[in-house]
Amino acid sequence: MNLKEQDKFIKSIETLFNQKCDYIFHDMAEDWLHIDVLYLGPTEEFPFNKLITMGESDFKMPKKNYLGIKRNEYMIFYDKNIDVLKNKDDFEFFMNALFLPGICVRDQNEFIEPYHEVTSDFENSNMVSSLLIFPQVMKKTSEIVIKLGTFKKCMCLQVMPINQVESEYGDQYGRDKLVRDFLYKGKTLRDSVYLAEKYRNTIVPEELKK
């Protein structure tokens, strides 16, 4: 992204979450792309930590999604009490999960959209892959589409690390059903914010196996 695009992106994210960006981790990618990560802390409206890539959208995917967009950025949410600057393992886990989809896109020239699952070998965690979804915190899909220029738009997708049980459930019954049965737990999607975790034990009730 050039400076003008970065400014537009940051302002759009700040508007989405109704808060200022607290910190920017600069040039976090290990390949040719310059990718920064925005950090937004917990607020009363959105009481959790947020990490959001800025620069993944410089890579154009091989085809357009259903909204006609070929560029993605990614966001991950985690518990307000976790300080990634004080814990190296936490920092590496959330950053690795956040960058995993983009690495897949670039290395394999892959097309990624909601409900796409990308496998990985996370260290110090029982998570086995990252699942992409629409961020539940947004009221409507149009809010996660950011216009960077006259002919350049990107879609922001939420990254959800999932464990082996959840991955197999998604393979068997569909990833949309996985999200509904295990991750959207509030009365509304906005009340059902999925916070990424390093460890989670999942037991599938018998009634869900039908």
Side-chain angles (χ1 to χ4, degrees):
M1 285 186 184
N2 59 40
L3 292 178
K4 186 176 181 180
E5 291 171 342
Q6 289 179 358
D7 185 57
K8 285 185 176 181
F9 185 81
I10 292 172
K11 288 181 179 178
S12 296
I13 292 298
E14 290 178 336
T15 298
L16 283 176
F17 290 100
N18 194 28
Q19 67 179 112
K20 291 292 184 181
C21 175
D22 293 300
Y23 187 79
I24 299 177
F25 297 96
H26 289 283
D27 201 9
M28 298 299 294
E30 296 182 354
D31 55 18
W32 58 272
L33 276 187
H34 180 104
I35 302 174
D36 299 328
V37 175
L38 310 182
Y39 167 73
L40 287 77
T43 62
E44 184 175 352
E45 184 178 6
F46 300 105
F48 47 86
N49 289 302
K50 313 135 193 110
L51 294 174
I52 303 163
T53 63
M54 181 173 68
E56 290 279 8
S57 56
D58 281 342
F59 186 87
K60 190 184 297 185
M61 293 186 293
K63 63 179 182 178
K64 298 178 180 180
N65 63 22
Y66 74 101
L67 291 176
I69 297 173
K70 301 178 73 171
R71 304 175 188 270
N72 286 343
E73 295 288 350
Y74 307 99
M75 54 180 65
I76 193 168
F77 309 140
Y78 58 95
D79 189 270
K80 64 181 180 181
N81 295 315
I82 296 176
D83 187 345
V84 295
L85 295 180
K86 293 182 178 180
N87 189 305
K88 181 181 178 181
D89 286 345
D90 287 339
F91 181 84
E92 291 181 349
F93 172 77
F94 292 118
M95 285 295 185
N96 287 342
L98 183 65
F99 276 98
L100 182 61
I103 291 172
C104 176
V105 166
R106 296 190 298 279
D107 288 355
Q108 303 177 29
N109 198 28
E110 184 76 45
F111 172 72
I112 285 183
E113 60 182 345
Y115 298 123
H116 191 113
E117 183 179 346
V118 183
T119 59
S120 179
D121 183 19
F122 290 112
E123 295 184 1
N124 303 312
S125 169
N126 73 333
M127 301 299 152
V128 298
S129 60
S130 287
L131 182 67
L132 282 299
I133 65 163
F134 293 111
Q136 304 99 302
V137 295
M138 304 309 165
K139 295 178 181 178
K140 50 188 177 181
T141 304
S142 60
E143 289 186 324
I144 61 172
V145 175
I146 295 177
K147 185 175 182 180
L148 300 172
T150 305
F151 302 105
K152 187 176 181 181
K153 295 180 181 179
C154 68
M155 175 181 283
C156 295
L157 297 177
Q158 185 179 348
V159 179
M160 304 164 48
I162 60 176
N163 59 35
Q164 187 66 43
V165 173
E166 294 162 350
S167 178
E168 291 176 355
Y169 186 87
D171 288 341
Q172 184 171 357
Y173 300 102
R175 296 186 182 107
D176 56 340
K177 182 171 171 56
L178 163 66
V179 172
R180 291 197 310 271
D181 290 346
F182 290 97
L183 303 175
Y184 289 158
K185 298 178 181 178
K187 293 182 179 179
T188 66
L189 295 186
R190 201 175 179 86
D191 296 330
S192 306
V193 177
Y194 175 86
L195 300 184
E197 300 172 287
K198 292 169 65 177
Y199 297 95
R200 182 172 55 253
N201 293 322
T202 302
I203 299 175
V204 180
E206 288 300 320
E207 60 268 21
L208 294 181
K209 297 179 181 180
K210 300 176 182 179

